Amino acid sequence: LRTKCVSLQSKISQLEDQNVSASEDALTASLKADRAQLKLEQALATAKSQNVTLFTDMNAEKESNTLAEGLRKELTELKSRLQAAQADAAVARATAAAVIAGDG
């Protein structure tokens, strides 16, 4: 029983660490996407104020936006992984509590 409890506590700790890591990854991806979008908007505004055309067609402009879109997709994926890890941690806690409450 003690071995099982220690094992479950270790699993909980590991899942909590994964949650923290996923949260940090999501925040980093969000910040990268925001910075990239800001840089793009600044470049477009500067070019427009100086009457410079940066894109010759709409496809080139769409390609420049794929970085921000890619980062947003990565952020969404990391959020879903975080939610899954949180659910796993909740299950592990409930299992540990049940084992402790039921005396094995």
Side-chain angles (χ1 to χ4, degrees):
L1 175 61
R2 289 180 195 262
T3 305
K4 183 70 171 174
C5 287
V6 170
S7 173
L8 289 173
Q9 287 174 341
S10 174
K11 175 119 176 133
I12 288 170
S13 177
Q14 183 183 27
L15 290 171
E16 287 173 344
D17 290 344
Q18 286 177 351
N19 284 343
V20 169
S21 177
S23 295
E24 290 172 354
D25 290 346
L27 178 61
T28 301
S30 177
L31 290 173
K32 283 181 182 179
D34 289 344
R35 285 187 196 128
Q37 184 67 33
L38 178 63
K39 285 181 183 180
L40 175 63
E41 290 170 0
Q42 288 174 340
L44 291 173
T46 301
K48 187 174 182 179
S49 70
Q50 296 177 2
N51 294 325
V52 174
T53 303
L54 292 179
F55 304 110
T56 56
D57 59 28
M58 291 303 290
N59 288 334
E61 185 173 350
K62 286 180 183 176
E63 288 175 13
S64 70
N65 288 329
T66 58
L67 173 64
E69 290 171 8
L71 290 171
R72 284 191 180 97
K73 286 179 184 178
E74 181 181 354
L75 176 62
T76 302
E77 179 184 332
L78 288 171
K79 282 182 181 179
S80 66
R81 286 176 48 198
L82 173 61
Q83 289 172 344
Q86 287 172 334
D88 289 344
V91 168
R93 279 191 201 102
T95 303
V99 167
I100 292 170
D103 250 354

